[in-house]
Amino acid sequence: MSTQNAVLQGVGVGRGAVWGPVATVRPAPVVPADEPVPADPAAAKEKVLAAFSDVAAGLRAQAEGASATIADVLTATALMADDPALRAQTGQRIDKGEPPLHALVAVIDSFAVMFTAAGGYLAERVTDLNSMRDRVVARYQGLPEPGVPPLDRPAIIVAPDLSPADTAALDLEKVLGIVIEQGGPTGHTAIIAGQLGLPCVVRATGASSLVDGDIIAVDAANGTVTLDPDDATKAAVETRRAGLATLAEATEATEDGATADGHRVALLANIGTAEDAERLTDAAVEGVGLFRTEVLFLGAATAPTEDDQARVYARAFSALGGRKVVLRTLDAGADKPLAFVTQAGEENPALGVRGFRLVRHAEELLRTQLEAVARAAKETGGTPWVMAPMIATVEEARQFAAMAREAGIQTVGVMVEVPAAALRARDILAEVDFVSLGTNDLAQYTMATDRLLGSLVDLLDAWQPAVLDLVAATAAAGVETGKPVGVCGESAADPIMALLLTGLSITSLSMSPSAVPAVRFALSKHSLETCRAIGEAARQAPTAAEARAAALALVDPQVREVLALG
Ligand code: PEP
Ligand code: MG
């Protein structure tokens, strides 16, 4: 344990704070390439089979304390570890003199090939199969099982990084917060953490020195992780939590986002799953401004069918009642690889076949998704807005609009997250009914900075003047054409930026649901005129830091204090 109150500096996601014990995530074990042939194959076989049994028993025990969805996954994985055919084949290979871990990996790989070929439900289980393999290998080697450990008490997850699938599968009842040493603030792990309302700090240099049971305090507003916090630090965390809870309650009654003088700005939520939509049932948000549908299929080995998709979209639409939903078609590739469609071997995946560009080799996938959305809309009586990601040209916008309308979608839009689209937003808006600015990718592509590379976080900043110019150009095209221009990147969750965006005539702000109360509060305390002044002041600044400072200088002092804006 390090010195009391030592601080690790990282980059915060959201405004939450929490303190509690650390639970570290273990890396996947490595099977040595030169694993020796065992001197006693019978004993090695017994040890491997015992590892299978231990893993199955451990998973079952873990399932007992877990929420229903996670318990299902754990139980299904335990069944695989018990599978007689899998165990028998592994045993036979060891009997024949193969090194035990190589035998085990070879058998599980052959099952994975069979599962993938079978498609559907079985293909979906390949991730679980691989996770079971890693657990058995670790047990055999006498190492702790990899991945997020079973939590017997609420804890803060600490890891070098988490895969989006790991983050999505976290047991929300037990996870207090997330600290990762790598990743970036607009990477998918951070986004999902924000969506789940978990205080999160990424790029926390030194987090790998933390061990299970260490007590830490996580402050997402300031991006800090305090080791062994003293009573005063813990009390400050509690005060912040209470303040945020009060803020949430105080603003919960306000149905719609609006400035102090009544200028409406829709406050919407970003979601990735039907469960996220269900969690919004009682939330004071006006709807969903970004449904990241690829999150549903991050672990899938084969393309989801129209039926599978229609079912899950219908579930989300029903949960949202008549509220607005903006659904984004699959944004696969780069930071969101989908096994069934992402092309391997691209040298620069962020500049490759991703987002809408998938239509070039997988048009059917998009058509199936649009059909599924239209069907779910019909079944639930909803009228979702549907948009395509990563549009760069007018032709792409036109092609997408034609496909979506053909499928029966009434309100069609595209995301503006590539500078080319922002610069020509007027022409793009001529093809579609609305656009939504994805400031995460817009910052990435404007600043030539990988959004996953947190070490360049200063460049990857939506306050960068060039990014603000592109946002302003897009907003101006919206005013000119009379069409809605929303923002659904992480920048919408920053209360000061939200004021600026409102001043630029952005019509909706979509963010992690947990960020909505602070933004609603900030908006309600400023007039449209002040928001416009904030926009003008920020846009005149030559640097990101000066732009933020110029905006902050015009923010109401009470809002600065309540939201700890600095
Ligand atoms: C964005 O790029 O800002 C965006 C909202 O999309 P995603 O973060 O899912 O890429
Ligand atoms: Mg994007």
Side-chain angles (χ1 to χ4, degrees), residues 213-561:
D214 279 357
I215 302 294
I216 57 171
V218 177
D219 178 346
N222 292 309
T224 55
V225 177
T226 307
L227 315 185
D228 190 17
D230 61 11
D231 288 347
T233 308
K234 288 180 191 166
V237 166
E238 295 300 345
T239 310
R240 171 83 66 74
R241 284 173 77 76
L244 287 173
T246 316
L247 184 65
E249 262 169 41
T251 52
E252 209 133 287
T254 315
E255 277 184 9
D256 298 332
T259 58
D261 51 341
H263 171 77
R264 292 282 322 279
V265 185
L267 298 182
L268 306 167
N270 291 351
I271 65 167
T273 62
E275 286 85 355
D276 289 343
E278 282 160 1
R279 274 193 283 272
L280 291 179
T281 309
D282 299 320
V285 297
E286 290 160 59
V288 164
L290 171 62
F291 185 175
R292 290 184 165 101
T293 54
E294 66 283 350
V295 175
L296 294 164
F297 309 111
L298 282 171
T302 53
T305 63
E306 187 182 319
D307 284 354
D308 288 346
Q309 294 190 66
R311 211 174 305 118
V312 58
Y313 302 146
R315 206 176 128 196
F317 298 163
S318 306
L320 291 160
R323 284 184 278 180
K324 173 174 174 173
V325 185
V326 184
L327 180 145
R328 176 176 74 190
T329 53
L330 293 173
D331 185 14
D335 57 320
K336 293 160 278 209
L338 292 183
F340 54 86
V341 66
T342 304
Q343 295 192 325
E346 285 185 337
E347 291 224 356
N348 294 300
L351 302 179
V353 182
R354 56 163 302 199
F356 180 70
R357 297 169 186 183
L358 288 171
V359 77
R360 292 165 186 245
H361 70 92
E363 185 177 325
E364 252 341 277
L365 185 67
L366 182 57
R367 290 204 182 273
T368 305
Q369 182 173 31
L370 291 168
E371 294 293 338
V373 175
R375 208 168 101 191
K378 208 165 172 192
E379 276 166 27
T380 56
T383 47
W385 292 23
V386 178
M387 63 183 182
M390 294 295 301
I391 292 293
T393 65
V394 166
E395 287 96 325
E396 286 173 344
R398 190 177 296 152
Q399 186 186 2
F400 176 69
M403 288 172 80
R405 292 194 176 113
E406 222 168 274
I409 308 291
Q410 287 165 25
T411 311
V412 180
V414 297
M415 289 192 71
V416 171
E417 45 187 354
V418 175
L423 290 167
R424 303 301 298 202
R426 195 191 309 114
D427 297 332
I428 286 188
L429 271 165
E431 303 293 332
V432 293
D433 305 311
F434 71 98
V435 297
S436 185
L437 279 148
T439 49
N440 305 332
D441 277 313
L442 189 61
Q444 159 164 272
Y445 294 121
T446 306
M447 303 306 298
T449 303
D450 185 343
R451 65 190 273 184
L452 298 178
L453 204 60
S455 58
L456 296 177
V457 73
D458 53 316
L459 293 175
L460 194 73
D461 185 346
W463 286 98
Q464 285 287 352
V467 180
L468 292 180
D469 282 355
L470 292 170
V471 170
T474 311
V479 172
E480 208 177 301
T481 54
K483 294 186 178 176
V485 177
V487 172
C488 63
E490 289 308 288
S491 67
D494 169 351
I496 316 174
M497 179 64 86
L499 297 173
L500 178 153
L501 295 170
T502 302
L504 295 181
S505 302
I506 291 297
T507 53
S508 66
L509 300 168
S510 192
M511 64 201 83
S512 311
S514 58
V516 169
V519 170
R520 188 200 314 277
F521 175 71
L523 272 180
S524 71
K525 298 287 177 195
H526 296 85
S527 65
L528 178 58
E529 197 187 332
T530 308
C531 293
R532 288 198 175 126
I534 288 174
E536 273 162 32
R539 292 216 40 229
Q540 278 170 23
T543 68
E546 287 165 283
R548 188 179 184 278
L552 184 61
L554 297 176
V555 172
D556 179 273
Q558 186 210 355
V559 174
R560 285 172 71 149
E561 192 186 321

